[in-house]
Amino acid sequence: MRTVRRPGNPAAVRGTLALDVSSTVLRLHDYSHRRDLEEAMRCGQGDIRVGPRPDPWEGPLVSLGYEEMMTGSAEYPAGTAAGPAELAAADWVLYEQEQGMSEVVDRLAGHVGFTPRAVARTGQVSAALLFAVEGIGVTVAPENAVPLRWSRHARRIGPGYFRELVVFSRKLPSQLAQRYRDMLTSLELPLTAEQDLPHGALRF
């Protein structure tokens, strides 16, 4: 199974799979950017993939839900969302181009209409959050990647900024791969269903 690198609980997934197919070895391959994941998929590597929705895509695809992107910073007005003027005026901790989160920031900046002023770059979400909490600049990260101890540093972006995650494959999965896909869709994941997205939320 191929995935975009995601935060999560591998032990929980491993335990669930062990209950179902104890004699099967599950191989996970992580990619920092969805374009690398999609290229590997088109080359026939792996059985199923988990990541952002590829566009276009003609093979089987099942939505898992939407992950919310949050802005992280050292200080901010309590109980408020980050608005366009604040984002445009901020110093930014950006991601290297080979890190998939760079695309997330680029899309946000394009939608809001500003060019982020970079003061630092990193290839890791954890490092970007650390820099933001230390006051170097603001950044964007998935809500489920923000450690609980830093949750007070994370804020919603406008009415909400969400990215859809899906399970997909080139062709109809084998019976075993189908069971893995069914397991993923049955797990209680830290994602938001489409019908529960806030009104006016930006999504992709």
Side-chain angles (χ1 to χ4, degrees), residues 1-6 26-32 37 40 45-50:
M1 181 169 70
R2 308 269 164 164
T3 69
V4 169
R5 188 169 298 139
R6 306 290 316 125
L26 175 67
R27 297 184 63 187
L28 294 176
H29 298 265
D30 289 337
Y31 295 87
S32 294
L37 172 70
Q45 300 176 25
D47 298 305
I48 58 177
R49 289 83 178 170
V50 179

Side-chain angles (χ1 to χ4, degrees), residues 21 47-48 172-183:
V21 194
D47 298 305
I48 58 177
L172 195 65
S174 65
Q175 184 176 9
L176 187 56
Q178 175 75 48
R179 292 178 65 183
Y180 289 154
R181 189 180 72 177
D182 292 345
M183 180 276 296

Side-chain angles (χ1 to χ4, degrees), residues 30-196:
D30 289 337
Y31 295 87
S32 294
H33 200 292
R34 71 171 186 159
R35 64 170 174 255
D36 300 324
L37 172 70
E38 293 172 16
E39 179 61 25
M41 165 191 57
R42 291 188 173 96
C43 291
Q45 300 176 25
D47 298 305
I48 58 177
R49 289 83 178 170
V50 179
R53 176 183 285 270
D55 182 28
W57 188 247
E58 298 180 357
L61 182 149
V62 178
S63 178
L64 294 174
Y66 290 78
E67 61 177 351
E68 183 167 8
M69 300 295 165
M70 310 290 282
T71 182
S73 60
E75 298 180 359
Y76 56 86
T80 63
E86 178 185 346
L87 296 174
D91 291 332
W92 278 82
V93 177
L94 297 178
Y95 295 94
E96 301 290 357
Q97 288 302 307
E98 62 268 19
Q99 162 59 251
M101 285 299 298
S102 64
E103 180 183 52
V104 173
V105 177
D106 289 346
R107 290 196 180 194
L108 172 64
H111 178 80
V112 175
F114 73 97
T115 300
R117 185 171 58 251
V119 294
R121 288 186 182 273
T122 179
Q124 298 181 343
V125 172
S126 58
L129 285 169
L130 176 60
F131 292 161
V133 168
E134 291 297 325
I136 294 176
V138 302
T139 196
V140 172
E143 182 183 27
N144 53 40
V146 179
L148 183 60
R149 68 183 184 280
W150 289 346
S151 59
R152 64 187 178 89
H153 295 279
R155 275 195 303 162
R156 172 163 284 181
I157 301 170
Y161 182 34
F162 294 82
R163 176 172 70 172
E164 186 181 18
L165 297 180
V166 301
V167 183
F168 57 110
S169 58
R170 288 191 309 138
K171 58 184 180 180
L172 195 65
S174 65
Q175 184 176 9
L176 187 56
Q178 175 75 48
R179 292 178 65 183
Y180 289 154
R181 189 180 72 177
D182 292 345
M183 180 276 296
L184 289 171
T185 57
S186 67
L187 288 175
E188 189 172 332
L189 301 170
L191 302 174
T192 302
E194 183 174 13
Q195 64 269 21
D196 296 327

